[in-house]
Amino acid sequence: MSRYFDIDDIIMEDKHSTVFFKVGANGVGLLDPSAETNRVEQGSRVELPFWLANELYLRQAVSVNIPPCFNLKTRREIQADAACVDLRSRCPYFYELGCKVAPLIGDKTIGSFLLYAFMNRFKDILSKAHSAAFAVAPRFLPLLTKEEMQLYEAACSSMTGFKKWRVGGSRFEKASILGMKKRSSE
Amino acid sequence: MYGRRASQLLKELSTCEPGQLTSFNTDVFDQVLKECNAHHLELQSLMRKIQEEELDVQTTKNAEHFGAVIHHLSLMRNKRCLMAYMYNRAQIIQSLRWKLGPVLPQEIQEKLNFSEEEYFKNYSAALESYASELELDLTVDMVPPKDPYIKVRVLDDIGDVLLSDQSPNLARHSIHFLKRTDAEQFISQGLMEELLG
């Protein structure tokens, strides 16, 4: 229930995947752009957002295909060199979506695949977050998914906090919301 | 339709910096509300069709039923998006009260909806009544204190101020030795900065 209001969770569930309708549905023609009447025919292939596909699967109205970001091509790329694969362009919520999609499509290999990808990328993230200066880091930042970005930023902020404590900087800060305002008005 | 526009609202919230507010997007909000009404009407017409065919509403699983299900799910989705939008903005507004004090600067005030302004006032009043019962100001000492007094330089002209132990004239670029609890408010509003060393 704590994820009901979570923005990341909501945006992640918007990811589209193709489903195969096992039954017909009336009055929802807008879902299928190729439908001529105001209905979706049984046996048609439609692209639905994940939240809708999930609910319809639970009601046994559709069968869900694997989203394109988990296909064979991505798996081969990750096996070749996990740290260099651009996961953000495939799906910014790669890991979370994989966890949610796995029971829908009945693919048992997704779990181990996600773990393998994450372990390999995490080594890189950890070392670069703790050591890199600003100039070096941005090269590989666009490749990270949202979850990895959060880890990276947490590590960076703890490093800056540590350095600040060591040097003994000012402990009172101007409220961050004002800081942005003043810069933009100058 | 089908929750696409509602996600726009949330994408807007997620793209701005954490802790920042954009203006309340009344246009998209109203559009989502209209979509909810449209879904509801479709839902009702589909349910009526099932009843006209004299099938049992609870157990039939025909095409109308699934159409109705999809409209219902879209309604729930829109509701979730709208509520998350309001909830997350309300959280940011609450944190503003702690950081900036009971009066909001004009530039932030413009971005709030009317009901959000009311929320801020009520939250502020609740906080103040609670603090006055405890006889403790809760919004100071957000960072554990090391010294009771700190040296500050004034950035903006504030003029004469009556503080707990002195009444200095806070002219621009002047340096003062103030009690930390008094200075904290001014620093977080950007009117002073702490001097070190």
Side-chain angles (χ1 to χ4, degrees):
Chain A
M1 211 50 198
S2 63
R3 312 207 64 182
Y4 186 77
F5 290 123
D6 186 21
I7 300 184
D8 284 329
D9 201 43
I10 298 179
I11 297 182
M12 180 215 8
E13 292 203 336
D14 235 4
K15 182 86 182 150
H16 283 246
S17 50
T18 35
V19 301
F20 184 68
F21 264 83
K22 294 201 284 203
V23 297
N26 268 352
V28 288
L30 277 175
L31 273 185
D32 186 6
S34 62
E36 288 157 1
T37 57
N38 191 18
R39 56 170 295 160
V40 177
E41 299 292 334
Q42 181 175 0
S44 55
R45 197 163 239 122
V46 186
E47 271 225 0
L48 291 184
F50 175 77
W51 53 272
L52 195 51
N54 195 15
E55 292 286 335
L56 290 177
Y57 177 81
L58 292 174
R59 288 169 169 78
Q60 289 157 353
V62 298
S63 65
V64 184
N65 293 341
I66 188 169
C69 49
F70 300 111
N71 62 6
L72 201 53
K73 179 164 174 264
T74 318
R75 289 185 200 224
R76 288 221 179 99
E77 286 185 12
I78 295 238
Q79 273 171 345
D81 185 358
C84 298
V85 180
D86 186 359
L87 284 185
R88 188 188 286 186
S89 59
R90 306 245 166 135
C91 174
Y93 295 97
F94 192 72
Y95 300 105
E96 305 235 353
L97 191 63
C99 294
K100 291 208 171 172
V101 154
L104 257 63
I105 55 181
D107 187 350
K108 300 206 170 53
T109 59
I110 279 195
S112 49
F113 165 61
L114 289 179
L115 189 59
Y116 176 82
F118 184 65
M119 278 190 328
N120 284 307
R121 289 165 73 88
F122 187 60
K123 276 191 296 218
D124 254 357
I125 296 173
L126 204 56
S127 57
K128 286 190 182 132
H130 282 273
S131 59
F134 270 124
V136 181
R139 237 189 316 123
F140 89 115
L141 279 185
L143 308 177
L144 299 181
T145 67
K146 280 269 163 76
E147 304 109 344
E148 292 168 344
M149 245 345 238
Q150 282 169 357
L151 288 174
Y152 180 83
E153 278 166 8
C156 279
S157 68
S158 73
M159 276 312 282
T160 41
F162 170 69
K163 282 181 191 144
K164 203 168 161 194
W165 169 82
R166 214 169 51 170
V167 168
S170 159
R171 297 165 84 233
F172 289 113
E173 305 258 311
K174 192 160 66 168
S176 59
I177 188 168
L178 286 181
M180 296 295 174
K181 289 278 124 331
K182 294 221 161 154
R183 225 172 287 154
S184 61
S185 62
E186 268 156 35
Chain B
M1 286 297 273
Y2 304 102
R4 277 177 219 140
R5 199 152 297 164
S7 334
Q8 271 179 2
L9 275 181
L10 288 178
K11 284 207 181 95
E12 196 186 289
L13 261 193
S14 75
T15 46
C16 69
E17 298 271 339
Q20 294 280 21
L21 268 185
T22 52
S23 312
F24 190 85
N25 200 336
T26 351
D27 290 331
V28 181
F29 204 83
D30 288 336
Q31 280 169 7
V32 177
L33 288 176
K34 280 195 200 119
E35 275 182 24
C36 286
N37 283 333
H39 278 300
H40 185 64
L41 288 172
E42 285 281 326
L43 181 67
Q44 279 181 329
S45 73
L46 285 168
M47 297 303 267
R48 245 180 288 130
K49 267 192 218 149
I50 297 183
Q51 280 171 341
E52 274 163 22
E53 291 171 20
E54 282 163 29
L55 301 164
D56 185 13
V57 171
Q58 303 277 350
T59 54
T60 22
K61 297 256 182 254
N62 64 356
E64 264 91 30
H65 167 86
F66 285 109
V69 160
I70 292 181
H71 281 291
H72 166 76
L73 291 172
S74 309
L75 258 179
M76 299 295 288
R77 173 75 178 178
N78 281 339
K79 172 187 169 188
R80 183 182 180 192
C81 290
L82 291 178
M83 288 189 59
Y85 185 69
M86 302 246 44
Y87 177 80
N88 284 291
R89 284 179 72 95
Q91 295 290 93
I92 295 177
I93 291 172
Q94 277 183 10
S95 68
L96 285 182
R97 170 64 180 85
W98 286 88
K99 284 194 203 138
L100 299 178
V103 179
L104 286 179
Q106 184 55 29
E107 48 220 20
I108 298 184
Q109 195 106 358
E110 289 167 348
K111 300 187 171 182
L112 298 185
N113 200 6
F114 173 68
S115 50
E116 288 175 342
E117 283 176 15
E118 288 293 310
Y119 179 76
F120 182 81
K121 281 191 206 130
N122 292 338
Y123 184 78
S124 202
L127 193 62
E128 273 160 18
S129 76
Y130 180 63
S132 66
E133 272 190 35
L134 292 177
E135 287 167 34
L136 202 62
D137 186 357
L138 291 167
T139 53
V140 294
D141 284 345
M142 299 305 275
V143 170
K146 284 196 171 168
D147 259 325
Y149 282 88
I150 58 172
K151 204 156 59 164
V152 289
R153 180 197 289 130
V154 184
L155 294 173
D156 270 345
D157 233 337
I158 308 172
D160 272 317
V161 176
L162 182 62
L163 301 172
S164 40
D165 57 343
Q166 31 173 319
S167 35
N169 178 10
L170 298 173
R172 205 170 179 194
H173 299 306
S174 58
I175 298 187
H176 297 272
F177 207 53
L178 292 185
K179 230 175 171 183
R180 191 184 24 78
T181 41
D182 297 326
E184 201 167 334
Q185 276 269 336
F186 289 113
I187 292 179
S188 88
Q189 287 174 13
L191 302 169
M192 284 187 191
E193 63 177 5
E194 188 181 348
L195 282 182
L196 311 154

